[in-house]
Amino acid sequence: MSVDNTIEIIPFSPTYKEAIKTLNLEWLQKHFRVEPKDELVLSDPQGQIIDKGGMIFYAKYKDEIVGTVSLIKIDDTTFELSKMAVTDGVQGLGIGKKLMLHCFAVAEAKGMEKVILYSNRKLLSAIHLYEKFGFVEVPLEDGVYERADIKMERIIR
């Protein structure tokens, strides 16, 4: 019997509601602190992301959810790439890359003009990944996330 090592990107479903919280808390607690805004969104992904026109995707590997990413609708032309996390044991398999490519394809299909994100400069591998995918630094407004010290955007079309 062969082991299936393919990484499948699947949409949000209530079955996997807890995965977005578990995966994000794992890295937030490792690098930062969990902010009230994180707690709100992660505890109610359906209400805070899906019901507001956004989307959540999961990376499934060997029948386990090992990664997640969200597209939060900002307005009719912009999505925020958010809540991206890949569990420690499977980093380096290109899961983040696959999740991002999926987000760009969806954003383009939905007619979005750009994707923005907020990050922190100490997350070197994340920043490197974003730059590799064509994100460029833009001015950061105040008060979005305590941990955010960089805002980036990528023009879709």
Side-chain angles (χ1 to χ4, degrees), residues 96-112:
K97 193 157 70 173
K98 250 193 148 139
L99 284 166
M100 284 187 57
L101 285 170
H102 187 77
C103 285
F104 294 145
V106 167
E108 199 170 339
K110 296 245 177 229
M112 292 292 165

Side-chain angles (χ1 to χ4, degrees), residues 4-16:
D4 186 9
N5 287 342
T6 55
I7 297 153
E8 188 188 358
I9 306 299
I10 60 169
F12 176 82
S13 77
T15 313
Y16 300 123

Side-chain angles (χ1 to χ4, degrees), residues 32-154:
F32 303 100
R33 70 177 196 86
V34 179
E35 298 178 31
K37 185 176 177 178
D38 297 316
E39 193 57 54
L40 177 71
V41 173
L42 296 174
S43 295
D44 182 19
Q46 176 80 45
Q48 295 297 315
I49 298 173
I50 306 285
D51 295 348
K52 294 179 177 180
M55 288 162 277
I56 299 169
F57 303 104
Y58 296 110
K60 196 174 185 181
Y61 176 69
K62 296 183 178 178
D63 278 331
E64 271 182 65
I65 300 298
V66 295
T68 186
V69 68
S70 300
L71 285 174
I72 296 175
K73 188 174 182 180
I74 303 298
D75 56 37
D76 289 342
T77 59
T78 312
F79 274 135
E80 177 189 342
L81 184 83
S82 185
K83 304 293 176 241
M84 183 157 147
V86 175
T87 196
D88 278 351
V90 294
Q91 287 176 353
L93 295 178
I95 295 170
K97 193 157 70 173
K98 250 193 148 139
L99 284 166
M100 284 187 57
L101 285 170
H102 187 77
C103 285
F104 294 145
V106 167
E108 199 170 339
K110 296 245 177 229
M112 292 292 165
E113 290 170 19
K114 67 182 171 183
V115 174
I116 62 164
L117 62 83
Y118 297 93
S119 193
N120 185 289
R121 294 175 198 280
K122 82 176 191 180
L123 300 171
L124 297 175
S125 58
I127 300 290
H128 178 71
L129 179 71
Y130 302 145
E131 287 172 340
K132 214 162 80 176
F133 276 96
F135 278 93
V136 293
E137 187 174 348
V138 293
L140 172 70
E141 65 274 32
D142 283 338
V144 181
Y145 293 102
E146 212 176 271
R147 65 182 166 271
D149 66 2
I150 185 172
K151 178 181 181 180
M152 301 177 89
E153 73 174 29
R154 180 180 189 262

